[in-house]
Amino acid sequence: MKTISLEGQIAVVTGASRGIGRAIVEEFVQAGADVVIADLADIPQDLLDVVKQHGRRALPIKVDVSKVEDCNQLIDTTIAEFGKIDILVNNAGITRDALLMRMEEDAWDAVLAVNLKSVYACSRAAIKHMMKARSGVIINISSVAGIMGNAGQCNYAASKAGVIGFSKSLAREVAGRNVRVNCVAPGFIRSKMTDVLDEKVKQAVVAQIPLGRFGEVTDIAQAVLYLASPMAQYVTGAVLVVDGGMSM
Ligand code: NAP
């Protein structure tokens, strides 16, 4: 059986203490990568134990990705500790939902800073090392909200659509240096982010999903693993939608 290997690769994953980010870390270490686990929150010991069980190295870093200095420091520390960065996954994200009429400026600014400015800042810091190495992969976590729109999420949808435009532009800038840039656009995935939705909303969402259920964090992590791996070596500027068919 053909398996995906990331043996010898160094991966940085943001927002990785839980949810989709954590699942990505777990897939990466199973595939043989060492990981920098970056989050605003403390990295839970049981995640560090999982990395250890697979014989891989983890470097936990506390970072606020909405701050450019933190993003620069994240990549600088990665280079100082591991000497290179092969894979960057910009996964950290937040929601501050409200109808536009009631959406205050701070809810707009916070979501754009965490979901979009962070992608600029971390990618900018990483790309110079990848271009020098003539190798690297960036995967940005967008959302179907950035493709379809979603009432109550003007800020979130704008940030996630921005991530797609950013990724395609950067993919064109760096393809000549063998650096690939892609997006994964999840639909509704079971995580802390969607746990807060009330039961009626969840039922209405499920009714719009041809596969008839919310996705799991592993569904997204496996798509990210594919894009990070040599199996996707001819894939750049793509948006891989993983949404149970919701947006087709
Ligand atoms: P989650 O469970 O809320 O996890 C998000 C993680 O990002 C948390 O660990 C959070 O840390 C961290 N984070 C938030 N702000 C940060 C900051 N400023 N700096 C560093 N880390 C920060 O969400 P998730 O469902 O796994 O979502 C992961 C990504 O997928 C997000 O980009 C999200 O927009 C996207 N997505 C999710 C869904 C879904 O249905 N779940 C659908 C489409 C797209 P704290 O614990 O400190 O807050």
Side-chain angles (χ1 to χ4, degrees):
M1 195 176 79
K2 196 169 180 178
T3 52
I4 291 182
S5 171
L6 297 181
E7 206 70 43
Q9 308 263 298
I10 307 300
V12 175
V13 185
T14 69
S17 73
R18 65 162 194 253
I20 291 171
R22 179 185 169 127
I24 293 168
V25 166
E26 292 181 353
E27 289 292 335
F28 280 4
V29 294
Q30 280 178 53
D34 291 332
V35 282
V36 179
I37 307 175
D39 206 297
L40 204 52
D42 289 329
I43 308 304
Q45 187 57 45
D46 66 328
L47 177 56
L48 299 174
D49 292 343
V50 169
V51 177
K52 223 179 191 174
Q53 278 157 21
H54 286 93
R56 306 316 321 173
R57 197 175 152 206
L59 178 65
I61 300 187
K62 222 171 173 165
V63 56
D64 179 351
V65 294
S66 68
K67 298 204 166 82
V68 173
E69 322 85 76
D70 279 28
C71 296
N72 289 338
Q73 198 155 15
L74 169 64
I75 303 302
D76 287 350
T77 309
T78 302
I79 299 297
E81 290 290 322
F82 294 100
K84 63 171 185 165
I85 172 170
D86 299 297
I87 302 161
L88 168 65
V89 183
N90 287 306
N91 167 76
I94 58 168
T95 52
R96 291 275 298 274
D97 297 353
L99 294 173
L100 185 64
M101 295 262 284
R102 292 194 207 112
M103 187 178 286
E104 301 294 342
E105 189 179 355
D106 67 328
W108 175 268
D109 287 344
V111 168
L112 268 288
V114 176
N115 296 6
L116 183 57
K117 191 176 178 189
S118 66
V119 177
Y120 148 78
C122 290
S123 301
R124 185 168 182 266
I127 206 78
K128 58 179 183 241
H129 302 286
M130 292 179 172
M131 288 175 77
K132 208 166 151 200
R134 293 187 179 271
S135 162
V137 187
I138 298 177
I139 297 147
N140 296 322
I141 307 302
S142 176
S143 167
V144 288
I147 296 169
M148 302 169 70
N150 194 20
Q153 290 198 313
C154 284
N155 51 357
Y156 184 78
S159 72
K160 295 300 187 179
V163 165
I164 293 174
F166 173 93
S167 304
K168 291 185 176 190
S169 301
L170 183 59
R172 288 180 186 277
E173 286 185 20
V174 298
R177 295 290 183 101
N178 192 35
V179 178
R180 299 186 292 108
V181 186
N182 291 293
C183 287
V184 172
F188 281 82
I189 307 300
R190 282 203 311 128
S191 78
K192 203 168 171 189
M193 189 176 269
T194 51
D195 283 351
V196 296
L197 299 173
D198 78 46
E199 242 357 274
K200 268 197 176 149
V201 173
K202 283 185 186 166
Q203 281 171 17
V205 168
V206 168
Q208 293 172 48
I209 303 174
L211 285 180
R213 60 173 177 85
F214 275 39
E216 303 297 330
V217 290
T218 48
D219 292 321
I220 305 307
Q222 286 165 14
V224 172
L225 175 64
Y226 160 70
L227 287 171
S229 78
M231 289 185 86
Q233 64 187 354
Y234 198 54
V235 182
T236 197
V239 181
L240 179 48
V241 176
V242 183
D243 68 348
M246 193 176 95
S247 65
M248 70 175 150

